[in-house]
Amino acid sequence: QVQLVESGGGLVQPGGSLRLSCAASGSIFSISFMGWYRQAPGTQRELVAAITSAGGSRSYADSVKGRFTISRDNAKNTVYLEMNSLKPEDTAVYYCYADGSKGYWGQGTQVTVSS
């Protein structure tokens, strides 16, 4: 089992920044990659960014390229999502995901971009 705990969401004005954190615990040796998804009301959950555990390879949704950065600190078993130049359309619940023996989800953290 893998447990994921997210933090760092909140309310920010357009153009602002936030950093999300996802701390993993449990059977972390089984994790092959981790990612951040988001879901806005009335929409499907979408992949925002992902990072592999071994090689640090990263991938991003086109809508966030150049604005968001995913990174990890293996010593802390934590994955981060640095979000800059935030737009109102980035408003959503952001979920941490870990791919291990099965898929694991965090509880979600709300990000609201509004003036």
Side-chain angles (χ1 to χ4, degrees), residues 7-13 17-20 83 86 91-92 94 109-114:
S7 60
L11 173 65
V12 64
Q13 292 187 341
S17 299
L18 281 174
R19 188 176 80 157
L20 305 182
M83 304 185 294
L86 283 162
T91 295
Y94 284 70
T109 184
Q110 177 70 46
V111 172
T112 302
V113 185
S114 175

Side-chain angles (χ1 to χ4, degrees), residues 60-82:
Y60 299 93
D62 287 344
S63 58
V64 306
K65 281 181 182 177
R67 300 189 298 122
F68 290 12
T69 302
I70 189 169
S71 62
R72 74 182 196 276
D73 184 336
N74 287 339
K76 296 181 178 179
N77 297 323
T78 299
V79 172
Y80 304 97
L81 185 68
E82 186 76 34

Side-chain angles (χ1 to χ4, degrees), residues 2-5 22-28 31 34 76-79 96 98:
V2 173
Q3 294 78 43
L4 303 172
V5 178
C22 174
S25 61
S27 302
I28 57 175
I31 297 174
M34 294 183 68
K76 296 181 178 179
N77 297 323
T78 299
V79 172
C96 182

